[in-house]
Structure formats: C-alpha cells, structure tokens
Amino acid sequence: MSRQSNRTTDNKKMNSELFTLTYGALVTQLCKDYENDEEVNKQLDKMGYNIGVRLIEDFLARSSVGRCQDFRETADVIAKVAFKMYLGITPSVTNWSPAGDEFSLILENNPLVDFVELPDNHSTLIYSNLLCGVLRGALEMVQMAVDVRFAQDTLRGDNVTEIRMKFIKRIEENLPAGDE
Amino acid sequence: MTVHNLYIFDRNGTCLYYNEWNRKKQAGISKEEEFKLMYGMLFSIRSFVSKMSPLDMKDGFLSFQTSRYRLHYYETPTGLKFVLNTDLSVGSARDTLQHIYSNLYVELLVKNPVCVLGQSLESELFSSRLDAFIRGLPYYSPRAA
C-alpha cells in the first residue's frame, strides 16, 4: 500500500494508447446508447465536467501553481502545464479577443483521436467533447465561469483542432446563508 | 510541543473534517456552532487582511497566535481551507498542511469516486492515515501533565 507515498517520485506514466482506446470505447458505447449525436456530445461534456472538478485538485496538489492573476496567465497554465501533464502535448494559445477574455487553444495532435475516423453518419458528433467539460469543471472550481467549445476539429475536415475558451465571470465566494 | 486540533472547510463553509488530539478546553457550544463561528472568523480575517494590506499579497492570511496557541491556515486555489492549532513552539505548519492536502485529501478522497465531495467526510482510510500522520509529526508530543 504505497498508494499515497512519495508522490513526487511516483509520477505514474501510463501508455497513452490505453487511454485513447478506452476513450474510443466510451464514445462508441455512448453512440449506441443515445440516438443522436447532440445527446452524446452532452453526455461527454457532463462526464468531463465531473472529471474536471476532481482533476483540478490533483493538478493543484502536483503543480503547486497558485491563483492566476488574469485570464492570460490561466491560458498559459492550461496550455503549458496542464495539457502537458495530463495529455503530454502543449497546445498553442492564439486568437486573443481585444478584451482579453477569449482565446483559442490549437491542438496539433489530439491524443484522443489517434485512431479515429468519423463515419459519415456522425457529422455532428464532437468526438473529444469530454475535454470541454474537463476544462469547464476544473476552472469552475477555481472561481472562473468559462464557456468552452470546439471551434474546429480535424476529424470533421478542418485544418486544425481549435478549442475556444470564453471567460464569462468570476464566481464570488459568499458567506454561507444563515450566518450573520 | 503539541498539536491541538484540525479543521478542514470547503469553499462553501461546510466543515468537511474535524479532529482533536490534545484539546484541554472545549468551546462550550455545539460543534456545528463552533464550525460556523470558526469559518465566519476565517472569512472575516481573509477579507480584513486583504483590505488592510498595504501591498499586493501573495499568500494572504497565514497564521495568528495568542498567548497560548497558534492557528495555522492554508487555503488552496479551489477554496479548501485547512486550519491547524498548535502550541507556540511550532513556527510554520505550512508544509504539514500542504502535505495533508496533496498526499491525504487528494489521494484518498478526491481520487475515491464514491466519496462525495462537499459534505462531511466519512472515509475511515482518510481518518486513520491522517491520524497516523499527525501523530508522527516531530512536534506532536502531548505531555501527560
């Protein structure tokens, strides 16, 4: 039982193919369980959200990243630290809106889609939509409401895979009700 | 040298965990009231400290001490709050609190899917590991007297 000992030396590396194939099996099953792609997209986002709210704690405990001062710093941490840590890739951060509240993550090679070809009858399926849920859930736990969606996807014929992130608001912390 | 007690609050003010090791004086109110009182004070101190600080802060509120004990405070960016009371000889318990967060809370509770986050914790494994960790601290040695 050395499960929680030496966490710094014990950076469990996993074969990413196992992860990719497991994810593929999940999406396949969802496509069987639900009639339409919209519903599959929704389920993937929901599962991602539930993963994200837990993953953020692991991320903070491992990376010792503190609170971000602005959305630009958040973007950097997501791209350079978090994606690197969990997926082994570093997306580039581009297309900042003038107000600095919107940016895009460009994924050169999305590990989730390594072995995937979308059949024609799934043209509205957002295959990697789990990632949106993960990002949204994790950021919500650090008091940021963010809208996350796929703007482009190589699986659907685009040149790049682009995740668009839009900052909505800061979630304020309140005293629990019933206290004066 | 001793550890008195430990509170863990979530970001909504729910007390997720409480345990005491060497507490000689009880508050004389119910635990629920005590948790509310404690959280309310922490909440006020945080806002007080951030308003009164003449400089931008990095970590914010860290600890306070009275004539008899010291309260150590550690807050994660997700709003989890770890509060440890010790006697005055303990300089900083920051590493201890960080360890409880990253090696016990995250490993045994966050990664345990049946453990519902945001309500009082029921994990035996967490309680016993935490207890063993606290008892193993170099400054844990309650004197019998």
Side-chain angles (χ1 to χ4, degrees), chain A residues 4 7 54 57-58 173, chain B residues 81 101 107 110 115 129:
Chain A
Q4 37 69 287
R7 86 153 316 148
R54 286 183 187 246
E57 302 285 3
D58 181 69
E173 207 172 333
Chain B
K81 296 163 182 72
Y101 170 58
E107 290 295 317
V110 176
C115 175
R129 287 277 177 85

Side-chain angles (χ1 to χ4, degrees), chain A residues 130-155:
Chain A
L130 188 100
L131 290 181
C132 295
V134 171
L135 287 163
R136 189 167 58 84
L139 289 173
E140 189 177 301
M141 295 303 283
V142 288
Q143 283 90 52
M144 273 184 272
V146 178
D147 179 61
V148 189
R149 61 189 171 77
F150 274 88
Q152 297 187 73
D153 194 341
T154 46
L155 277 187

Side-chain angles (χ1 to χ4, degrees), chain A residues 40-49 129-130 132-133 136:
Chain A
V40 175
N41 295 341
K42 210 188 287 176
Q43 291 299 324
L44 285 172
D45 181 82
K46 207 198 260 176
M47 287 181 199
Y49 176 87
N129 208 32
L130 188 100
C132 295
R136 189 167 58 84

Side-chain angles (χ1 to χ4, degrees), chain B residues 91-114:
Chain B
S92 165
R94 198 163 179 79
D95 292 346
T96 303
L97 293 177
Q98 256 162 0
H99 180 95
I100 293 173
Y101 170 58
S102 58
N103 292 49
L104 298 170
Y105 182 87
V106 171
E107 290 295 317
L108 302 175
L109 301 172
V110 176
K111 293 190 183 175
N112 176 355
V114 295

Side-chain angles (χ1 to χ4, degrees), chain B residues 13-64:
Chain B
T14 311
C15 186
L16 301 178
Y17 180 83
Y18 173 76
N19 203 357
E20 58 189 43
W21 287 269
N22 184 29
R23 181 174 181 173
K24 298 220 174 80
K25 185 176 162 296
Q26 293 295 335
I29 51 178
S30 77
K31 276 282 174 284
E32 282 67 41
E33 281 177 86
E34 181 185 314
F35 297 155
K36 275 192 186 172
L37 204 57
M38 175 59 93
Y39 188 81
M41 179 199 67
L42 295 171
F43 194 91
S44 308
I45 290 182
R46 282 171 68 235
S47 91
F48 174 84
V49 164
S50 72
K51 290 195 178 86
M52 291 303 138
S53 171
L55 302 167
D56 270 349
M57 288 187 302
K58 205 167 148 272
D59 292 325
F61 169 52
L62 297 174
S63 71
F64 72 69

